[in-house]
Amino acid sequence: DFLFFWGAVFLVTTTLVAFLKKENQELIPAKEETKGITDTYRLLFSIIKMPAVLTFCLLILTSKVGFSAADAVTGLKLVEEGVPKEHLALLAVPMVPLQIILPLVISKYTAGPQPLNTFYKAMPYRLLLGLEFAFLVWWAPKVKHEGGFPVYYYAAVVLSYALHQITLYSMYVAIMAFNAKVSDPLIGGTYMTLLNTVSNLGGNWPSTVALWLVDPLTVKECAGAQGHTCATAAAAEV
């Protein structure tokens, strides 16, 4: 029912936009940015070959390595420690208004001549929150009781998630503002898409690697089987 309702809302609103929204003809440039797929890719390669763009792409491709494990694995580890999935899903609800408000607030600080300053300032706090998430995972079995987890533990999780959202959106909005600022207006769409795609890749590949490394880096102890490390899935099964 939930999915059906929002699917209907999505269809209705997008249909209304299609029929009721009119383009401002005066602002449409006479010449198109590109003529076809081949020209577009030629343009992309010429953009990415520029030294400043290449340096920036290397920066945003590697900038999220430090908190990839905390972002990708914390929720899975909390579930592994016994926190019910439905409770974690409910904890995401208070984050929704925060996610709506944060870009509006942060945009005031990224509107100046140096939007990346906000990105740099938020990074150390986001790295520290990785340690906070590790503490929450370590703390979970200590406070767990027969009825589940105490309210103060959930309060600590919500607070940690809220602080994480602040740092995450500070970095996200700053990067978007910077991309919009440096993109050439004549090829704005192509330029912005390239930089945003690289930015998304910079967040996705470290998370994938972090998830892949969970098993090899997890230390396991075998109860009643001395001399066995249970390092492999087969050994743990036995």
Side-chain angles (χ1 to χ4, degrees), residues 208-231:
T208 305
V209 173
L211 287 167
W212 180 73
L213 288 172
V214 169
D215 266 353
L217 295 177
T218 299
V219 178
K220 299 168 189 168
E221 294 176 7
C222 294
Q226 288 186 336
H228 293 277
T229 59
C230 295

Side-chain angles (χ1 to χ4, degrees), residues 102-172:
L102 278 172
L104 297 171
V105 176
I106 295 162
S107 60
K108 294 177 183 176
Y109 301 96
T110 57
Q114 295 179 312
L116 278 186
N117 281 352
T118 307
F119 181 91
Y120 296 138
K121 285 174 184 173
M123 185 177 275
Y125 296 104
R126 194 168 170 189
L127 287 167
L128 284 170
L129 281 167
L131 296 174
E132 164 73 5
F133 282 176
F135 170 75
L136 287 174
V137 173
W138 172 84
W139 194 27
K142 313 284 184 191
V143 296
K144 188 181 179 184
H145 52 75
E146 286 183 10
F149 290 85
V151 175
Y152 63 81
Y153 181 76
Y154 286 118
V157 172
V158 169
L159 181 62
S160 301
Y161 272 39
L163 292 171
H164 177 258
Q165 289 295 313
I166 293 169
T167 57
L168 187 151
Y169 273 85
S170 295
M171 295 178 72
Y172 174 74

Side-chain angles (χ1 to χ4, degrees), residues 46-107:
S46 65
I47 292 168
I48 209 162
K49 280 193 291 186
M50 292 192 290
V53 175
L54 200 57
T55 305
F56 179 63
C57 286
L58 288 171
L59 167 76
I60 55 179
L61 275 172
T62 55
S63 62
K64 295 176 185 174
V65 170
F67 27 77
S68 57
D71 288 4
V73 185
T74 301
L76 298 172
K77 283 292 174 187
L78 287 174
V79 170
E80 193 178 285
E81 295 296 347
V83 179
K85 289 178 190 175
E86 56 271 23
H87 289 184
L88 277 180
L90 280 173
L91 294 180
V93 175
M95 298 299 115
V96 175
L98 191 65
Q99 289 165 351
I100 295 168
I101 295 163
L102 278 172
L104 297 171
V105 176
I106 295 162
S107 60

